[in-house]
Amino acid sequence: MTPSSLTVRESVLELLRGLGMRRIFGNPGSTELPLFLDFPEDFEYVLGLQESVVVGMADGHAAATRNAAFVNLHSAAGVGHAMGAIFTAWKNRTPLVITAGQQARAILPFDPFLFSAQATELPKPYVKWSCEPARAEDVPLAIARAYHVAMQPPCGPVLVSVPADDWSRRCEPVPPRTVGTSLRADPQVLATLGSALDACEQPAFIIGAGVDRDGAWDAVVALVERHRARVFTAPMSARCGFPEDHPQFAGFLPAMRERIVALLQGSDLVLVLGAPAFTYHVEGAGPHVPAGASLYQIVEDPEVAAWTPLGTSAVGSVRMAVQELLLRPAPRQRAMPARGAAPPRAAPSSPMSVAFALQTLAELRTPEQIVVEEAPSARPVLQQYLPTLRSETFYTMASGGLGFGLPAAVGVALAKPQERVIALVGDGSAMYAIQALWSAAQRRLPITFVILNNRRYAALQEFAPTFGFGPGEALAGTDLAGLDFVALARGHGVDGVRVEQPGELRPALQAALRSQGPALVEIVVA
């Protein structure tokens, strides 16, 4: 066999070109340096100042492009730093191809400095697949396989460990190939669902992140309008899959069994699209749906379908399944469900309420501007006062782990440079990945960072009664006094302003939403 003229590095870069992955997200260490020898001009290295920031940026970028992002981490230490963000990418169903450096093969028997003893085991169980190729020549094939595994629904991160001396070895080229990823749900199950949907009296649809991930927004709106169903957003959904100003939108389901059942009361059929049925946060008891209601589900993840406690599940593409349901003859007309009441106007106060801050932001931003959110204690207020109106304009984390919002906003802005991105982040969340401000500043990205500063871990304090804490009882480790986000922003190269009075808010937000590069508004809220 004639030796190839390509090195592993050259073969991998050519593969990435063919797969549309010309951005490399990383924070390099010594074992990664050989990848960047003669770094090509048509590639961009997106530097994050900490590995969790790197993975968070890649998570936002992959979600916004619907294509896997390429991540380069440093051996065991870098993967360890990034594990919280990898867990979030796993829960977000985000396709990431993660490479991790490894020491040179020749010295691996001697437990060298900066090596990873069990490189393929370290990221488990929060990767779909991991590999350290047996031969240097197999690295491009491993990365090609990793890409297709990451992109196959349910999408998720994968990891390939690459010894440092592999990049210079000769190998055969690996041309990119097409692997279909849209899986059709069982037609017989869909026919059963369609018949039940036609025959029911008061359907309720539960919309999850899988709707927007699969590009099913328009088809779902059409199906909702056809069947005059009430629509709820699934608990802990990381995306929005339905316009929240639509007259059939009924609100958000909490992650509590009894409250879900209460809100669904009156429905005789519950259809869950692109979500588990259901994600719970606290213990509960009793039925999962109201008495007399049948449960149906369309989801891309067979494991989620397997643990769903009752009802009928169709596994496959949400978009394709809904499109098939729309091909059925039009059902008889039902009465329209009652429209929910609008929230009351929030009044200015000092200190400001979160409701007033988000109401003002909603009045100033355009529907096309993208909100990347990580403000857990403010989320119920956001759901009332900052509605999502368009597809692909809302991203948050499904994991419950902090550190997603700031870096994900950078990744989304890189993916969609024509759109304004609004990073809406709590003060506690912001401190997990504050270094992302530097990455935004270096590229002059059009991001408006809005920090809601309530000087505490409010979500924990508000959740404490669930675990037996009495009213006003002190909760250790939840006060966050003394943080200055304007100083932190300027230290990373981002202009910032602190707003404490309601009269200052509108002009500050207007200026930040018009900024050519990144700008930060710290809002002191009650």
Side-chain angles (χ1 to χ4, degrees), residues 20 22-26 43-48 53-67 69-71 370 372 395 405-423 435-449 516 518:
R22 299 197 188 202
R23 284 193 170 110
I24 297 177
F25 295 85
F43 276 73
E44 179 183 1
Y45 190 87
V46 182
L47 176 62
V53 173
V54 168
V55 174
M57 292 191 299
D59 191 332
H61 190 272
T65 60
R66 291 202 174 100
N67 191 28
F70 189 82
V71 180
I370 299 166
V372 180
Y395 301 87
L406 293 183
V410 174
V412 172
L414 285 168
K416 298 191 174 187
Q418 73 282 4
E419 299 294 347
R420 166 69 55 174
V421 174
I422 301 168
Q435 305 96 322
L437 295 175
W438 181 87
S439 299
Q442 293 300 302
R443 285 167 175 74
R444 301 292 300 161
L445 296 174
I447 305 175
T448 301
F449 295 100
Q516 295 300 307

Side-chain angles (χ1 to χ4, degrees), residues 161-517:
S161 173
V162 185
D165 52 344
D166 283 7
W167 296 105
S168 61
R169 294 289 295 272
R170 299 288 172 178
C171 70
E172 295 298 317
V174 177
R177 49 192 289 266
T178 299
V179 177
T181 58
S182 292
L183 305 177
R184 183 187 179 194
D186 187 321
Q188 187 172 346
V189 175
L190 287 182
T192 301
L193 164 58
S195 297
L197 192 55
D198 292 342
C200 73
E201 297 293 336
Q202 291 181 298
F205 288 10
I206 317 300
I207 308 299
V211 169
D212 209 34
R213 280 200 307 264
D214 201 27
W217 176 292
D218 291 338
V220 166
V221 171
L223 191 69
V224 164
E225 292 175 346
R226 167 181 280 211
H227 288 281
R228 298 193 170 184
R230 290 190 297 163
V231 178
F232 296 87
T233 296
M236 302 297 185
S237 182
R239 302 275 286 268
C240 177
F242 192 80
E244 293 167 14
D245 61 345
H246 194 283
Q248 289 167 246
F249 184 67
F252 295 79
L253 294 182
M256 304 172 71
R257 186 189 304 193
E258 294 88 346
R259 289 184 61 193
I260 289 172
V261 171
L263 287 168
L264 295 178
Q265 203 66 44
S267 297
D268 58 344
L269 182 143
V270 176
L271 173 57
V272 182
L273 296 168
F278 295 99
T279 298
Y280 299 129
H281 192 192
V282 295
E283 291 182 77
H288 296 277
V289 294
S294 56
L295 176 67
Y296 291 86
Q297 178 187 49
I298 302 172
V299 68
E300 78 273 34
D301 189 342
E303 290 193 12
V304 169
W307 67 249
T308 297
L310 72 160
T312 301
S313 295
V315 178
S317 163
V318 175
R319 173 180 47 81
M320 292 173 65
V322 171
Q323 288 170 344
E324 285 195 46
L325 291 172
L326 286 169
L327 295 175
R328 297 175 61 86
R332 59 188 172 79
Q333 288 295 306
R334 303 178 179 90
M336 286 289 287
R339 184 164 191 166
R345 289 283 299 174
S349 60
S350 183
M352 279 176 283
S353 67
V354 172
F356 179 78
L358 297 185
Q359 174 182 276
T360 304
L361 178 60
E363 291 169 352
L364 295 175
R365 66 110 186 214
T366 65
E368 295 76 22
Q369 291 175 342
I370 299 166
V371 173
V372 180
E373 177 267 325
E374 191 183 338
S377 64
R379 195 166 296 151
V381 183
L382 175 144
Q383 292 167 350
Q384 287 188 295
Y385 287 91
L386 188 63
T388 299
L389 309 177
R390 302 283 188 275
S391 177
E392 298 185 66
T393 62
F394 179 79
Y395 301 87
T396 187
M397 46 81 184
S399 67
L402 302 183
F404 168 82
L406 293 183
V410 174
V412 172
L414 285 168
K416 298 191 174 187
Q418 73 282 4
E419 299 294 347
R420 166 69 55 174
V421 174
I422 301 168
L424 181 66
V425 181
D427 52 344
S429 297
M431 292 308 301
Y432 277 72
I434 197 71
Q435 305 96 322
L437 295 175
W438 181 87
S439 299
Q442 293 300 302
R443 285 167 175 74
R444 301 292 300 161
L445 296 174
I447 305 175
T448 301
F449 295 100
V450 178
I451 308 295
L452 298 176
N453 187 352
N454 57 21
R455 303 162 301 288
R456 61 194 181 113
Y457 286 126
L460 286 177
Q461 294 178 352
E462 292 163 8
F463 201 63
T466 304
F467 291 97
F469 285 79
E473 186 174 349
L475 182 61
T478 56
D479 291 327
L480 298 176
L483 291 172
D484 185 341
F485 287 96
V486 173
L488 288 166
R490 290 173 179 164
H492 288 87
V494 175
D495 290 334
V497 61
R498 181 182 175 98
V499 175
E500 299 188 47
Q501 299 301 323
E504 303 168 347
L505 181 60
R506 184 173 290 268
L509 287 175
Q510 285 175 326
L513 290 168
R514 291 195 301 262
S515 65
Q516 295 300 307

Side-chain angles (χ1 to χ4, degrees), residues 101-121:
Q102 176 65 290
Q103 269 289 8
R105 290 178 186 269
I107 58 173
L108 285 179
F110 311 114
D111 284 9
F113 185 63
L114 291 177
F115 92 118
S116 186
Q118 299 182 54
T120 60
E121 298 300 312

